[in-house]
Amino acid sequence: MEATAVIDRCATFPSPCASGVCDTARLLALSDEAWRDGRLEDGITLAGTATRIACDAPTHECVFHAHMKLALLLSQIRRFDQAWEALDAVGAVGAGGAMGEDGRKSAVSTLVRAQVTAASGELAKAVDLAKAGLGAAEDAGLRAWIPVGHFVLASAALRQGELATAIRYARQLQEDAVFGREMLPAGQSAWAVVQVAEADRGREKTARLAAELLLSGSVTRQLFIAEPAAAPWLVRLVLSAGDTALAAEGVRAATRLAERNPGVHSVASAALHAAGLLENDVVKLRRAAELHVDPWARASAIEDLAIALARTESGRAEAAETYEEAMRIYLDTGSLRDSSRVRSRLRSINANPNPRDPGRPRSGVPSLTDTEYAVAKLAAQGFTNGQAADQLFLSRHTVAFHLRKIFRKVGVCSRVELAREWSFLDVDGAAGEGI
């Protein structure tokens, strides 16, 4: 799986008017230009002004598209309340009137809502919206908007530990790039592809893709704007490959963006997080965790802080508490893969990790704990014990141990029986499959 196919484009918002010459269209074009240049407050201001400009178009296309643009930009810098205000200002989809009756507007609004919902950490809800939005976009012929849905579904599947599904949607993102479907920053698509590749093939085989993404100029900047977790994630990956110089370049890029936008907490927290990783600086990691608004990025910073604390004997007690906090946030967002990794790390310093965790899964299989559910789902999908162990950051012995308990709890005798019965056992999960 390669990222090169998706890092040579910068998405621009389509003109809301057929002529492309009205004041709203001009303002949105200027907003795009400011955003690509890294002038984030200017981009927000211009897009916000575009929502207030009167237009003669009888279908209110200009007003609608300006609000969608504004919501996407606000979501990227994690100003969620304002993003929802921009979406709600054009009326609830399906509520009646011109907006509710227009299938094209409904498709666009649903996909934008999926993006905002995913960024705010509600993965299950975001998946439902993305699938609905993709279906509506296909029906309406809105191919340019399809990458938004594919990105949400690829990212959510990866965090939920559904690697096969994540790979499928990552390939769809590559196809989107080939056919020029541009309603998503190119760096954002590439980052999803690289993350899935890392989960599928391992860090060593993905380091080159991470390096390419870190050195892609304006595409890198667009990624660092859109995804607060991206800079620290990439820095962490290249550091694991021993490339300190490249990690330092990534930190400099994130820092330049933050210095240019002093009022934007999402880029400030990302720069601090990346610098804390490079310098092994507990103070910077702690401050990044406090600043992050994005819940997954915040959990990631807390996890990195715990790792740094655990390196010293005096910090191990605090590290255990910090790991537990990260694990709770991951679980709250539905990120089972990440919570499993943190649980594994916590076991290395604590024989009884998270004893207050009730172990109640979100799966619809109430007899299984979170870890058991994750193991059972991978086994039902055909993963071997070794492959499941790699995905969940467990040992093969632990996976085998969990499988024995799973068989007993759900009343099956083999992996074949588990696979056959899984769709009946995991009713909520099966209902979420689709597109």
Side-chain angles (χ1 to χ4, degrees):
M1 188 178 299
E2 296 296 328
T4 52
V6 292
I7 63 174
D8 59 353
R9 294 180 179 274
C10 283
T12 57
F13 203 79
S15 172
C17 291
S19 65
V21 297
C22 76
D23 288 341
T24 303
R26 284 193 290 267
L27 284 167
L28 291 183
L30 289 171
S31 175
D32 277 330
E33 181 180 342
W35 206 256
R36 288 195 301 269
D37 193 41
R39 294 179 285 114
L40 306 185
E41 296 289 4
D42 288 348
I44 292 292
T45 299
L46 287 162
T49 303
T51 66
R52 298 187 293 273
I53 297 294
C55 181
D56 295 332
T59 59
H60 305 288
E61 287 284 342
C62 296
V63 174
F64 175 80
H65 281 274
H67 279 87
M68 295 302 102
K69 171 70 171 184
L70 181 59
L72 283 173
L73 297 187
L74 289 165
S75 173
Q76 286 187 24
I77 59 174
R78 301 318 193 244
R79 294 180 182 175
F80 297 120
D81 289 344
Q82 295 175 54
W84 286 116
E85 287 175 7
L87 283 164
D88 292 341
V90 294
V93 175
M99 293 294 180
E101 293 167 4
D102 188 334
R104 293 169 64 85
K105 290 175 182 173
S106 175
V108 170
S109 178
T110 302
L111 286 171
V112 174
R113 288 172 185 272
Q115 179 86 321
V116 178
T117 302
S120 64
E122 297 181 74
L123 292 184
K125 184 178 179 181
V127 166
D128 290 341
L129 285 167
K131 289 179 177 179
L134 277 174
E138 291 277 9
D139 292 343
L142 293 172
R143 305 293 294 172
W145 282 91
I146 284 176
V148 176
H150 288 160
F151 174 81
V152 170
L153 292 171
S155 301
L158 180 62
R159 294 178 185 181
Q160 292 169 332
E162 300 173 0
L163 183 58
T165 303
I167 290 172
R168 175 156 57 94
Y169 285 117
R171 287 174 177 160
Q172 290 288 337
L173 282 170
Q174 291 178 298
E175 179 183 302
D176 293 335
V178 169
F179 287 99
R181 303 163 190 156
E182 298 182 2
M183 266 318 302
L184 190 72
Q188 207 171 356
S189 294
W191 186 52
V193 172
V194 172
Q195 286 185 97
V196 173
E198 187 269 340
D200 184 31
R201 299 183 343 212
R203 287 189 170 187
E204 289 184 7
K205 295 182 179 179
T206 316
R208 179 184 62 80
L209 297 179
E212 188 173 357
L213 188 49
L214 272 174
L215 296 173
S216 295
S218 64
V219 174
T220 305
R221 182 167 61 246
Q222 291 304 298
L223 171 60
F224 286 4
I225 293 168
E227 294 293 338
W233 192 91
L234 290 166
V235 165
R236 188 188 305 110
L237 181 58
V238 297
L239 281 174
S240 71
D243 197 338
T244 305
L246 181 57
E249 180 56 38
V251 170
R252 283 192 291 271
T255 302
R256 285 194 297 268
L257 181 63
E259 289 174 345
R260 195 170 190 184
N261 298 277
V264 181
H265 286 179
S266 60
V267 293
S269 56
L272 273 171
H273 190 172
L277 286 167
L278 177 65
E279 301 163 16
N280 192 32
D281 188 321
V282 169
V283 174
K284 288 184 177 178
L285 290 172
R286 199 184 302 277
R287 180 58 178 155
E290 293 170 353
L291 276 179
H292 270 305
V293 178
D294 181 300
W296 192 85
R298 181 168 182 265
S300 176
I302 293 170
E303 180 184 356
D304 287 326
L305 172 61
I307 292 170
L309 289 168
R311 292 190 181 113
T312 64
E313 188 65 32
S314 60
R316 288 170 69 86
E318 185 182 355
E321 295 178 359
T322 308
Y323 274 134
E324 288 187 1
E325 183 180 1
M327 187 162 57
R328 283 194 295 271
I329 297 172
Y330 282 138
L331 284 171
D332 285 344
T333 66
S335 301
L336 294 179
R337 180 173 185 266
D338 302 295
S339 64
S340 294
R341 178 184 62 250
V342 174
R343 182 179 283 108
S344 177
R345 286 176 168 159
L346 183 54
R347 282 197 182 97
S348 69
I349 59 173
N350 182 355
N352 183 27
N354 201 17
R356 295 182 298 279
D357 180 11
R360 177 80 179 189
R362 302 168 179 269
S363 63
V365 188
S367 61
L368 302 182
T369 66
D370 287 324
T371 302
E372 288 168 353
Y373 172 69
V375 169
K377 190 162 191 174
L378 290 176
Q381 292 175 347
F383 284 72
T384 66
N385 284 7
Q387 290 169 330
D390 290 341
Q391 285 301 302
L392 300 174
F393 303 92
L394 303 171
S395 70
R396 296 185 185 192
H397 173 79
T398 300
V399 169
F401 172 73
H402 282 306
L403 272 177
R404 288 193 294 272
K405 292 200 297 181
I406 291 162
F407 292 166
R408 185 173 65 253
K409 286 183 176 183
V410 303
V412 300
C413 298
S414 69
R415 301 169 74 96
V416 173
E417 284 188 47
L418 178 65
R420 187 171 59 239
E421 297 294 325
W422 186 248
S423 62
F424 301 103
L425 292 167
D426 188 26
V427 176
D428 292 344
E433 295 296 330
I435 296 173

